[in-house]
């Protein structure tokens, strides 16, 4: 049986020119991997789009979903190659969209261009193929390690290592024909934040506040944000809480004022869930 490979660009589909990483729309890791390892695996490759993933738009997610809607009954699995900068976000979206798929779906990429002998691109692709050949049904993210796609968190700035969070308590259903016309704002807490500078346009239908590691936020400052949200009829969500941990007084007070508390969810998964919710 065949393995579908969906190319979307990123470092794994790039080359280095005069010290600068540039996208190469003709790069095809599947064919390069087959030649390198003398494999007879049948890859069905589609070059869906070729971008550096920091430039991803909602249209790209819609294109990916359209490709994933196709009939894969004759396939053993699907590999999606992707840039590492937003890999954890696309992983969250795909984990929701493909949650009922009966074949493995794997997202992967590379830390360096494939011509660099220290790149992890080939080893990541090898692991992705092994997951599919072992029929590990689910949605996975491979980048040095194997992560469940609904728990993977963006890579550390300095080590380039991805992290894993809690498994979500609930999973939203996603329409197979969804389009993303409405927006979700993400705001990250930091000391001395002034929410007076925040304004929402009419297409913003939810606001996700990424709290501190204890699932907390400056409740006095958030009062201003909550007031702005209520003026626009925008629900406000606070991410970062853990069902196994104590609820802090500040978070409890915010909940009593109307803030929705999000438990056991990475920022990426919470964002993907809200984006799907406000566009369904």
């Amino acid at each position: 049986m065949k393995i579908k490979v969906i190319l979307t660009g990123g470092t794994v589909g790039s080359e280095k020119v005069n010290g600068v990483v540039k996208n190469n729309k003709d790069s095809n890791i599947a064919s390069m991997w087959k030649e390198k390892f003398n494999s007879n695996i049948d890859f069905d490759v589609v070059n869906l789009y070729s971008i550096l993933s920091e430039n991803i738009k909602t249209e790209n997610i819609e294109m990916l979903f359209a490709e994933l809607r196709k009939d894969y009954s004759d396939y053993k699995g699907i590999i999606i190659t992707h840039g590492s900068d937003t890999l954890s976000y696309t992983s969250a979206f795909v984990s929701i969209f493909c949650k009922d798929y009966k074949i493995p779906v794997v997202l992967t990429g590379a830390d360096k261009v494939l011509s660099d002998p220290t790149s992890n691109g080939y080893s990541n692709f090898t692991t992705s193929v092994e997951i599919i050949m072992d029929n590990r049904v689910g949605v996975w993210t491979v980048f040095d390690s194997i992560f469940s796609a609904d728990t993977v968190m963006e890579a550390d700035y300095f080590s380039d290592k991805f992290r894993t969070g809690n498994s979500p308590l609930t999973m939203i259903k996603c329409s197979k024909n969804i389009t993303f016309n409405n927006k979700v704002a993400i705001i990250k807490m930091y000391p001395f934040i002034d929410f007076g500078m925040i304004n929402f346009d009419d297409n913003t239908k939810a606001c996700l506040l990424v709290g501190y590691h204890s699932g907390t936020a400056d409740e006095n400052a958030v009062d201003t944000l909550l007031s702005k949200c209520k003026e626009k009829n925008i629900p406000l969500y606070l991410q970062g809480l853990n069902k196994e941990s104590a609820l802090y007084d500040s978070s409890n007070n915010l909940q009593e004022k109307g803030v929705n508390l999000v438990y056991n969810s990475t920022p990426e998964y919470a964002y993907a869930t809200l984006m799907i919710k406000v566009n369904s």
Side-chain angles (χ1 to χ4, degrees):
M1 295 181 74
K2 297 177 290 187
I3 293 177
K4 186 74 173 187
V5 179
I6 303 173
L7 308 177
T8 70
T11 302
V12 69
S14 295
E15 59 185 347
K16 189 179 283 189
V17 180
N18 297 324
V20 178
V21 175
K22 294 180 176 290
N23 223 218
N24 177 7
K25 62 182 178 61
D26 296 320
S27 179
N28 180 347
I29 187 174
S31 62
M32 296 164 71
W33 184 90
K34 280 189 69 169
E35 182 177 348
K36 183 178 180 69
F37 295 102
N38 193 28
S39 171
N40 60 2
I41 292 177
D42 185 8
F43 292 118
D44 178 15
V45 181
V46 58
N47 193 339
L48 189 62
Y49 50 83
S50 184
I51 61 171
L52 295 174
S53 73
E54 59 268 31
N55 297 321
I56 195 168
K57 302 290 187 291
T58 53
E59 291 86 350
N60 299 117
I61 297 294
E62 290 171 4
M63 290 173 65
L64 180 57
F65 281 4
E67 187 67 29
L68 291 170
R69 279 199 301 270
K70 295 180 178 179
D71 181 9
Y72 288 101
S73 56
D74 291 333
Y75 289 80
K76 193 163 182 64
I78 303 169
I79 297 174
I80 303 165
T81 64
H82 198 283
S84 59
D85 277 356
T86 56
L87 176 61
S88 58
Y89 288 91
T90 300
S91 294
F93 278 96
V94 173
S95 74
I96 297 170
F97 190 83
C98 296
K99 70 182 183 70
D100 294 324
Y101 280 33
K102 305 303 182 186
I103 58 174
V105 179
V106 188
L107 298 97
T108 192
D111 59 350
K112 301 179 183 70
V113 297
L114 295 177
S115 60
D116 187 325
T118 66
S119 172
N120 64 6
Y122 286 119
S123 62
N124 288 339
F125 196 84
T126 297
T127 302
S128 302
V129 171
E130 289 172 348
I131 288 172
I132 291 172
M133 299 309 292
D134 290 342
N135 197 33
R136 293 177 60 178
V137 175
V139 186
W140 309 97
T141 302
V142 171
F143 207 96
D144 291 326
S145 300
I146 301 172
F147 305 91
S148 179
D150 58 1
T151 66
V152 66
M153 299 172 65
E154 65 179 306
D156 178 82
Y157 291 112
F158 303 105
S159 69
D160 262 356
K161 300 296 183 184
F162 284 83
R163 301 164 291 156
T164 188
N166 290 333
S167 296
L169 298 176
T170 58
M171 183 169 280
I172 193 171
K173 289 186 177 180
C174 180
S175 166
K176 297 304 180 185
N177 296 299
I178 191 169
T179 55
F180 296 99
N181 299 312
N182 297 317
K183 297 185 293 187
V184 174
I186 302 182
I187 305 171
K188 190 178 188 310
M189 274 304 307
Y190 57 86
F192 328 124
I193 192 169
D194 177 9
F195 289 111
M197 69 179 81
I198 303 296
N199 291 296
F200 301 109
D201 64 21
D202 291 339
N203 287 331
T204 303
K205 302 301 180 184
C207 179
L208 177 63
L209 180 60
V210 178
Y212 295 119
H213 80 98
S214 298
T216 58
D218 180 341
E219 59 179 300
N220 295 317
V222 174
D223 282 343
T224 300
L225 178 62
L226 184 58
S227 177
K228 285 175 172 281
C229 286
K230 287 181 176 179
E231 287 175 8
K232 292 272 192 175
N233 197 29
I234 296 171
L236 176 60
Y237 297 82
L238 174 62
Q239 178 273 340
L241 294 101
N242 188 332
K243 273 291 185 184
E244 304 301 318
S245 301
L247 180 65
Y248 279 77
D249 190 42
S250 53
S251 301
N252 186 59
N253 291 339
L254 289 173
Q255 183 180 39
E256 291 177 350
K257 293 174 183 177
V259 176
N260 301 282
L261 303 186
V262 180
Y263 287 90
N264 291 45
S265 178
T266 65
E268 293 92 334
Y269 189 83
Y271 176 64
T273 296
L274 289 175
M275 279 289 287
I276 289 169
K277 182 176 181 178
V278 302
N279 286 287
S280 295

